[in-house]
Amino acid sequence: IAQFAIKAKLVGIDMIVRIGDSSRGHIIKLADMGVNSFLLPMTNSAEDIEEVIKYAKYPPIGQRGVSTTRAHTLYNPPPLVEYMEKANREMKIYAQIETVMGEKNIKEILDNPNVSGIFIGPNDLSVDMNCTNDKDKVLQTIVNIIEAANKANKPCGIITGDKKLIDTSISHGIKMISVGSELNMLIKGCQEGKGTPRLTEVKCPKCGEYVEVFILMGGPIGKTGTLAGDETCVCGHVLPAGSYETDYEQ
């Protein structure tokens, strides 16, 4: 996290960290690393998010401890009062709304001037609503949350890979989208990789050497792929376009 935080800071990107809890030690440690945006999951009330604000921001807004010669100042802190004011302005706090109680208290959560915006967690929300098989019901609640954020003039995001949820959210003015997890993206990419070019090696039938080529995977897993055009081995033998066996694992 520290490596990502400092690189994000150097290029001017806000890195939002979804924290496990709102404890003082957890938040201050991340803030001192250079993290300048926090997301609190399962935010059910204004009091829940106030705990994050208290430890993420300096006085007079919060109670963050002052230690400035650290990564969050790039080890070159400006005058203390100037820095604290700047850090408080730049620190963003987001509430993740993913329960019925959170949706019920959305106005009070958004009314806090130190809440920068919200994210919607549709999976947990649908479970808490007891409607995992009723997407339309969840969609209406998502729309209600987005409209509350729009009314408060604060950005709203959603964490989902579901196209229908994404399209509906965009049509109602959502500003931020986290499209699933990195693991799901890798799995989906592998599943959809069949028929796409892959850099691999095929064995030259003349000399036995392996030739590095791009092939279209399409046969049984780890077995065959299609060479779209002729390739020449170092021995001079031409490998004509066609089907070849490969050790590439799909």
Side-chain angles (χ1 to χ4, degrees), residues 2 10 23-24 28 40 74 76-77 95 107 118 120 127 158 162-163 167 193 196 218 221-222 228 231 234 236 242 249:
L10 287 170
S23 63
R24 180 182 184 277
I28 288 180
L40 179 67
L74 300 178
N76 184 28
K107 184 181 185 302
I118 57 172
I120 302 167
V127 171
I158 191 167
D162 187 291
K163 188 177 185 303
D167 289 345
T196 58
I221 291 178
E231 292 285 347
V234 291
E249 293 292 336

Side-chain angles (χ1 to χ4, degrees), residues 58-75:
Y58 292 113
I61 298 171
Q63 300 175 13
R64 178 180 172 184
V66 179
S67 181
T68 56
T69 309
R70 292 178 179 265
H72 59 91
T73 63
L74 300 178
Y75 301 98

Side-chain angles (χ1 to χ4, degrees), residues 49 53 93-95 109-118 154:
I49 200 69
I53 295 165
I93 311 297
Y94 296 94
I109 293 168
L110 288 166
D111 279 346
N112 189 317
N114 293 298
V115 171
S116 305
I118 57 172
K154 292 186 177 182

Side-chain angles (χ1 to χ4, degrees), residues 103 135-145 147 168:
E103 193 259 343
K135 188 175 290 186
D136 289 337
K137 187 175 179 181
V138 179
L139 271 172
Q140 186 54 57
T141 303
I142 288 171
V143 169
N144 293 343
I145 295 170
E147 289 178 348
T168 301

